[in-house]
Amino acid sequence: MRRFIVIGHRAITSADFKLDDLCGSTGRLDILLRCVNSAFFLSHGIRRDVEITLMLLGEPNPPKTIRINGSEVKYLNPDERSTAALIRNALLQKGEGERKCSPGIFVSERSYEEVLSNISKESKVYYLKEEGEDIRKVPLGQDVTFVLGDDQDLTAVEEEILMRYEPKKLSLGPMSYHADHCVTVVNNELDRR
Ligand SMILES: C[S@@+](CC[C@H](N)C(=O)[O-])C[C@H]1O[C@@H](n2cnc3c(N)ncnc32)[C@H](O)[C@@H]1O
């Protein structure tokens, strides 16, 4: 399994947003939507061996944690608007614990710490960081998790929590890339191995 955890530092945590203003009023949810696209879409198919967890940490009800599992997901299309509609639907779901909102899409109030704690039981965690070790030189196992920021790097606190899992820092190259491009590069790197 390939897993991605993307930290949406200001991403909106209510369903109160318009699908035609995703860049403006959603705390840059648009970045997370593009990460979903990069995580799953092939030219003619969906990657079934990928899971992405979006940490929505903006106002008014943080955290909201959206998990999308490629082996189960349905109704996912490549455009940001329709993915935003699925996430808006997830944000409307009331209840406790992790709830299934539509096939392969789950919502919870799990903290970033809980998410990491759960994932690290079965997956090796890596931290995507510009000044890390070159990913091309690092052997990677079958179940791997990559943590990255949105348009902002991880905060000192987020980094401190992540470091408890002793992740190797991996660099994808000498430039600082958009989060969704990082997901694409990681998928490509793993495809080529
Ligand atoms: C758009 S970047 C965040 C802001 C960026 N660090 C800057 O200074 O403009 C989003 C995230 O992608 C990851 N990232 C970007 N470029 C990377 C690279 N070359 N290698 C590894 N991770 C990278 C990091 O996790 C980063 O937090």
Side-chain angles (χ1 to χ4, degrees), residues 5 7 12 19 21 25-26 28 30-31 43 61 82 90 103 106 109 117 119 121 125 128 147 170-171 179 182 187 189:
I5 301 174
I7 316 285
I12 190 164
L19 294 179
D21 188 26
S25 58
T26 64
R28 299 310 311 269
D30 60 305
I31 295 171
S43 183
N61 305 306
S82 66
F106 305 84
E109 286 69 38
S117 166
I119 283 184
K121 287 176 189 144
V125 178
L128 292 181
V147 181
L170 296 183
S171 172
C182 291
N187 265 333
E189 176 64 28

Side-chain angles (χ1 to χ4, degrees), residues 127-130 147-154 170-179 182:
Y127 179 15
L128 292 181
K129 192 78 184 147
E130 286 86 331
V147 181
L148 67 161
D150 50 359
D151 59 328
Q152 300 177 348
D153 289 325
L154 270 61
L170 296 183
S171 172
L172 303 174
M175 315 295 273
S176 188
Y177 304 115
H178 283 193
C182 291

Side-chain angles (χ1 to χ4, degrees), residues 22-49:
L22 293 173
C23 299
S25 58
T26 64
R28 299 310 311 269
L29 183 66
D30 60 305
I31 295 171
L32 307 192
L33 300 170
R34 286 194 287 279
C35 288
V36 172
N37 180 304
S38 298
F40 292 110
F41 284 104
L42 292 164
S43 183
H44 296 287
I46 287 188
R47 294 178 184 274
R48 297 292 172 191
D49 61 342

